[in-house]
Amino acid sequence: MPKSSTDRPTAPETVWLAAGRHTGPAPQKALREHLRELKNSERIQGFLETENAATPDGHVFEARWLVDGDVTVRARLATDGREDVDAERRWTLAAEAEQPWDLAWPSPATMFWPGNSGFSWDRDATAGLWLQDINPLPKDDAALRRLLKDIARHSWSINVVVHEAMTPDDEGRLPLARLLPPGLRHRVVEHRATPEQFHAVNWALGDLGTSVPRGGAVILSGTPARVGYDEQAFRVRSVFLDGSEPTELLDKIVEFAALPWPLPADAAATLTALRQEWRLLSLEEELAHARALVASYSDALDAMTKSRDLYREATELAHTALSEMAEYRDAASAVRGSAPGQDKHPLTKTLQRVTDSLLPRRAPRVDALQAARESEERARQSSG
């Protein structure tokens, strides 16, 4: 069984994360119109569109809305690709609420993506598999093994492998997504193995340390594994594909979604971008932001003023010290250069001036200057 990572931060309980792909024309116009419609109908409080600095020609859409009447949700969807290019592109979506996320709340994906559009957006980012439909596993064994290994390592979604005990009828081909809480409908990928693929799929799942019961299901741990994941606890022995509600499997998916999720690096970066690059501010948030900036500038100015004053004081002290050293050096030179019998009056005046100037600032030096004067006086008396 894959071990969970202990050195990665886990997704906060307040956060909803998903990554996917969209195909067809670039979605900026459709996203913009859908968000404007939700704003006009007051389903969201506001939205903002900016360029995605991390991806050439990408766009970022921010939106804010309320759930349960007074709980604010902030969400950020980032896309890549130019508007005039018809291609497959990746999108990431991070939403954070003021309270732990309730799976009964609307899926943030539906607050951005329009229900009817000219492209498919609800595909898993790793392998382009459907998020709201059944995904048959590849018939080729090597391709099957590659796919399962790839999604186990890189997918943000909750991947569920279901084995069909027998070929189901139309009722048995209905996807699980329709029965999931709204908060999980765009975070689960359902894989189906046909009856004859039982051994092949378990051969591939063996690389991941798990297996699927015949006619049952297993929820893959992901990489890194969710904290507290137990392979046996997330296996379901029987899933009846007859149109009835597979209650046990649905409960296991909800239980798995509640486990702490050690964030992959790209998911962590998406959450960081939501928190640190958020621009859609309310009036109160703008005022708080302005106050914080004023306080920050005030602190910086105060620090600069103190630094300037300290620099000026240090400069003045340095100049004073240099001047005193020069005066003391001149006085000492005059003492050493005097000879007996010469007129000592100029030297006496020099020593007096230096002594008077240094007395209030360098008291310890007065003793040396006074000794020099006494030496001069003794020299005069001896020569007389």
Side-chain angles (χ1 to χ4, degrees), residues 340-341 375-384:
S375 176
E376 180 212 8
E377 187 62 31
R378 287 195 300 271
R380 182 192 301 179
Q381 293 174 359
S382 64
S383 62

Side-chain angles (χ1 to χ4, degrees), residues 1 209-211 213 217-219 229-237 248 252:
M1 180 184 71
T210 189
S211 63
V218 64
I219 302 173
Y229 175 82
D230 184 331
E231 185 265 344
Q232 292 297 322
F234 291 99
R235 298 170 81 235
V236 176
R237 301 299 303 176
E248 184 182 3
K252 293 290 185 184

Side-chain angles (χ1 to χ4, degrees), residues 336-347:
R336 289 194 300 269
S338 63
Q342 292 181 337
D343 184 6
K344 302 301 189 298
H345 181 63
L347 178 58

Side-chain angles (χ1 to χ4, degrees), residues 8 11 15-21 76-78 90-95 123-127 131 150-160 183-184 186-189 219-224 226 256-257 261-273:
R8 294 174 183 260
V15 168
W16 190 98
L17 289 163
R21 296 185 191 180
R76 184 180 190 270
L77 184 144
R90 190 174 191 268
W91 57 266
T92 57
L93 201 167
R123 292 176 176 268
D124 180 72
T126 302
L131 294 170
D150 195 31
I151 61 173
R153 289 178 176 175
H154 305 297
S155 177
W156 295 11
S157 301
I158 299 171
N159 288 271
V160 182
L184 283 177
H186 304 106
R187 293 173 55 197
V188 173
V189 177
I219 302 173
L220 304 185
S221 66
T223 303
R226 299 208 175 201
F256 179 87
W261 179 29
L263 291 175
D266 50 355
T270 298
L271 176 57
T272 298

Side-chain angles (χ1 to χ4, degrees), residues 69 127 139 159 196 217 240 260 266 289 291 302 317 336:
K139 298 296 185 182
N159 288 271
E196 60 273 14
F240 297 102
D266 50 355
H289 182 65
R291 293 191 188 100
D302 184 56
L317 288 174
R336 289 194 300 269

Side-chain angles (χ1 to χ4, degrees), residues 310-380:
L310 289 173
Y311 177 78
R312 183 173 55 198
E313 181 181 350
T315 302
E316 291 174 351
L317 288 174
H319 282 301
T320 300
L322 290 173
S323 177
E324 292 174 354
M325 289 175 63
E327 292 175 350
Y328 183 77
R329 183 174 57 249
D330 291 344
S333 297
V335 171
R336 289 194 300 269
S338 63
Q342 292 181 337
D343 184 6
K344 302 301 189 298
H345 181 63
L347 178 58
T348 303
K349 292 175 62 178
T350 299
L351 291 172
Q352 184 63 51
R353 178 174 58 80
V354 173
T355 302
D356 293 343
S357 65
L358 294 180
L359 182 61
R361 291 173 292 179
R362 293 291 185 269
R365 295 184 183 177
V366 174
D367 293 340
L369 295 172
Q370 185 64 33
R373 293 178 60 188
E374 291 174 356
S375 176
E376 180 212 8
E377 187 62 31
R378 287 195 300 271
R380 182 192 301 179

Side-chain angles (χ1 to χ4, degrees), residues 134-137 148 159-166 168 172 174-176 188-195 197-198 201-202 205 211-220 236-241 246 249-250 253:
I134 294 170
N135 297 278
L137 288 170
L148 292 178
N159 288 271
V160 182
V161 178
V162 179
H163 177 248
E164 301 170 344
M166 60 183 68
L174 297 176
L176 289 171
V188 173
V189 177
E190 180 184 359
H191 308 268
R192 285 284 187 93
T194 60
Q197 285 184 297
F198 178 68
V201 72
N202 276 329
L205 289 174
S211 63
V212 60
R214 186 182 295 273
V218 64
I219 302 173
L220 304 185
V236 176
R237 301 299 303 176
S238 297
V239 179
F240 297 102
L241 302 176
L249 178 55
L250 295 175
I253 294 173

Side-chain angles (χ1 to χ4, degrees), residues 16 18 34 65 77 91 93 106-114 121 186:
W16 190 98
H34 183 57
W65 63 88
L77 184 144
W91 57 266
L93 201 167
S107 166
T110 61
M111 308 302 281
F112 287 93
W113 295 110
W121 58 265
H186 304 106

